[in-house]
C-alpha cells in the first residue's frame, strides 16, 4: 500500500504527544508551519494531551490516512512512537517520526535527525522503506523489551524525570542509584529453536535496535535487521558487580563481560518458573506492560514502512 506511493505527494497525518512539554509543542507547530506550510505540503495535526486519549486519536487518524492514502507521522518519544506503530503495522501505511524523547534510539538508528526542523524537512523527501519490527505476544518492539531489573529502573527513571526534568544525565544517574537497591532474581526457562536455557537472572533484555546494541558493545548487534534480535541476560551478581556491568555498558564493552549471556534469535519463548499463572511485568520501548506468560518474542513477518533517508545516507538498523 503506502510503500508503493511517492512520499512527496501524500498528505501527512501527524500525531503529537503533548506530554513532551509546552516548549516542544510550540517547536513542532512552528516547524510544521515553516517547513510543510512553506512547501505547500498538505498535513493535519492532532494533539494528544493525555495518554488515555491516544488510542482514540490513533484510530481516527488511521481512518483518515487510509481514506486519503496518506502517511502517519508521530511526534514523541520511543514509547509514544511504539504505541502508534502497533496500530500502523498491520495497515502497511507509511510511517514517519519526529523524535521528541530522551534517547530517541529508533529515529537515530534510521538517520532521522533529533533537530525538529531537520526532521520535518526530511518528511518532504523521505521514502517509505521496510524496517524490522520485533514482537512480544503480538505487541510491537521497535527498540527493546525487558523484564526483571530493567523495568524497575525505568520506573525509577520516570520518577526522577518528573522531579528533576527530562535529560539523559537524569536518566543515567537514576539508573545507577537504582542498581544499588536490592532486587529479586528471576528463574527463567528460555527456548529458542530447540535450545533450552534454564537461568537465574536479575534481568532479561531483548534488543531490536542495532545502534543501542552497538553502543553496549554487543557482538551480535549486526544480526539486527537481518531477521534476528539480540537477547542478553545477566548471571546472578552482587550490587557492586551490577555497577561494574553498568560501567562496561557505558564504555561500550558489555558484550565482553563474563557475567553476560547473549545470543541472536528470531524466536524466543520465556517462562517464569513457578509463576506462569501470573502476569509478568516488562518494559517495551520505555513503557511498562503486564503480559500473560509465556512471553513469545519473535521478528514480525510484516515490516514497518518508515519514512527515512535513502540507505546511502543513514546507518542500517
Amino acid at each position: 500500500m503506502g510503500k508503493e506511493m511517492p512520499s512527496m505527494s501524500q498528505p501527512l497525518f501527524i500525531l503529537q504527544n503533548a506530554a513532551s512539554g509546552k516548549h516542544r509543542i510550540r517547536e513542532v507547530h512552528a516547524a510544521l508551519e515553516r517547513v510543510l506550510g512553506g512547501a505547500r505540503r498538505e498535513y493535519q495535526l492532532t494533539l494528544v494531551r493525555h495518554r488515555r486519549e491516544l488510542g482514540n486519536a490513533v484510530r481516527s487518524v488511521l481512518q483518515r490516512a487510509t481514506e486519503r492514502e496518506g502517511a502517519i507521522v508521530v511526534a514523541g518519544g520511543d514509547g509514544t512512537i511504539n504505541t502508534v506503530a502497533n496500530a500502523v503495522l498491520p495497515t502497511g501505511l507509511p510511517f514517519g517520526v519526529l523524535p521528541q524523547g530522551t534517547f530517541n534510539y529508533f529515529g537515530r538508528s534510521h538517520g532521522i535527525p533529533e533537530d525538529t526542523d531537520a526532521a520535518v524537512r526530511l518528511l518532504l523527501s523521505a521514502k517509505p522503506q521496510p524496517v524490522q519490527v520485533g514482537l512480544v505476544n503480538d505487541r510491537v518492539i521497535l527498540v527493546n523489551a525487558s523484564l526483571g531489573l530493567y523495568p524497575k529502573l525505568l520506573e525509577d527513571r520516570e520518577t526522577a524525570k518528573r522531579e528533576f526534568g527530562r535529560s539523559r544525565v537524569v536518566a543515567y544517574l537514576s539508573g545507577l542509584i537504582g542498581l544499588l537497591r536490592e532486587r529479586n532474581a528471576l528463574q527463567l526457562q528460555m527456548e529458542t529453536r530447540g535450545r533450552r536455557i534454564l537461568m537465574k537472572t536479575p534481568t532479561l533484555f531483548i534488543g531490536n535496535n542495532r545502534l543501542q546494541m552497538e553502543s553496549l558493545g554487543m557482538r551480535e548487534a549486526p544480526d539486527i535487521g537481518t531477521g534476528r534480535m539480540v537477547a542478553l541476560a545477566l548471571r546472578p551478581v552482587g550490587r557492586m558487580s551490577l555497577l561494574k556491568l553498568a560501567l562496561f555498558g557505558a564504555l561500550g564493552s558489555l558484550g565482553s563481560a563474563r557475567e553476560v549471556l547473549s545470543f541472536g534469535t528470531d524466536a524466543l519463548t520465556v517462562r517464569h518458573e513457578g509463576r506462569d499463572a501470573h502476569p509478568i511485568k516488562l518494559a517495551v520501548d520505555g513503557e511498562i506492560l503486564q503480559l500473560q506468560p509465556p512471553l513469545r518474542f519473535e521478528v514480525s513477518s510484516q515490516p514497518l514502512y518508515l519514512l527515512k533517508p535513502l540507505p546511502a545516507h543513514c546507518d542500517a538498523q
Side-chain angles (χ1 to χ4, degrees):
M1 184 191 295
K3 60 185 180 294
E4 299 173 352
M5 300 176 60
S7 63
M8 69 283 294
S9 66
Q10 294 170 317
L12 301 174
F13 294 86
I14 303 169
L15 272 167
Q16 183 179 7
N17 178 10
S20 58
K22 292 182 180 179
H23 171 70
R24 284 296 183 91
I25 293 173
R26 291 193 296 267
E27 179 184 292
V28 170
H29 290 196
L32 294 175
E33 285 188 29
R34 184 166 50 249
V35 178
L36 299 185
R40 297 188 178 181
R41 179 68 177 273
E42 181 184 356
Y43 73 93
Q44 294 181 21
L45 175 64
T46 299
L47 187 63
V48 181
R49 298 190 178 278
H50 300 286
R51 182 80 185 177
R52 62 179 177 271
E53 300 172 357
L54 187 56
N56 287 336
V58 171
R59 285 188 288 273
S60 174
V61 168
L62 273 177
Q63 181 177 347
R64 283 179 276 148
T66 301
E67 292 170 352
R68 297 288 310 282
E69 297 185 320
I72 305 288
V73 179
V74 56
D78 285 334
T80 303
I81 292 170
N82 175 289
T83 299
V84 181
N86 264 288
V88 173
L89 180 66
T91 71
L93 287 171
F95 182 71
V97 300
L98 302 176
Q100 304 282 297
T102 303
F103 292 98
N104 298 317
Y105 277 118
F106 181 68
R108 287 164 56 205
S109 69
H110 292 291
I112 298 171
E114 293 185 274
D115 176 77
T116 300
D117 268 58
V120 174
R121 282 196 299 272
L122 178 63
L123 294 175
L124 295 174
S125 59
K127 304 290 185 181
Q129 298 168 64
V131 301
Q132 175 176 296
V133 172
L135 299 172
V136 53
N137 292 12
D138 297 324
R139 294 292 299 265
V140 162
I141 305 169
L142 297 179
V143 180
N144 61 57
S146 57
L147 54 151
L149 172 62
Y150 193 66
K152 179 57 180 171
L153 293 183
L154 284 179
E155 291 178 326
D156 293 345
R157 189 179 81 185
E158 289 307 307
T159 300
K161 283 181 181 179
R162 285 193 293 271
E163 185 171 353
F164 301 109
R166 305 181 71 87
S167 76
R168 291 178 187 175
V169 173
V170 170
Y172 284 129
L173 289 178
S174 66
L176 289 176
I177 293 170
L179 288 176
L180 294 173
R181 298 175 181 168
E182 193 68 34
R183 308 293 180 193
N184 296 321
L186 306 172
Q187 188 69 42
L188 299 182
Q189 175 183 303
M190 298 179 279
E191 297 179 19
T192 176
R193 298 302 181 191
R195 178 187 178 192
R196 178 174 292 185
I197 304 169
L198 297 175
M199 187 174 185
K200 189 174 184 179
T201 177
T203 192
L204 172 66
F205 189 93
I206 309 295
N208 186 49
N209 185 274
R210 181 171 175 175
L211 175 64
Q212 185 180 50
M213 292 295 97
E214 286 177 341
S215 72
L216 294 174
M218 305 308 300
R219 60 184 178 274
E220 298 90 352
D223 288 351
I224 297 175
T226 67
R228 291 164 73 81
M229 299 185 288
V230 175
L232 68 93
L234 305 182
R235 294 183 171 88
V237 294
R239 285 176 287 183
M240 295 310 296
S241 293
L242 280 175
L243 288 175
K244 182 191 76 172
L245 292 174
L247 179 61
F248 279 16
L251 296 176
S253 57
L254 185 64
S256 64
R258 297 190 310 272
E259 299 89 346
V260 175
L261 169 70
S262 62
F263 53 91
T265 181
D266 63 347
L268 176 69
T269 300
V270 177
R271 292 179 170 85
H272 189 182
E273 288 198 345
R275 294 184 59 84
D276 260 6
H278 304 281
I280 295 179
K281 179 187 289 188
L282 69 162
V284 178
D285 293 348
E287 298 294 315
I288 306 299
L289 305 176
Q290 297 266 2
L291 295 183
Q292 193 67 36
L295 301 180
R296 296 174 297 276
F297 297 92
E298 59 188 329
V299 174
S300 172
S301 59
Q302 167 109 8
L304 189 66
Y305 289 98
L306 182 65
L307 293 170
K308 63 184 241 181
L310 294 175
H313 302 295
C314 70
D315 294 331
Q317 183 177 3

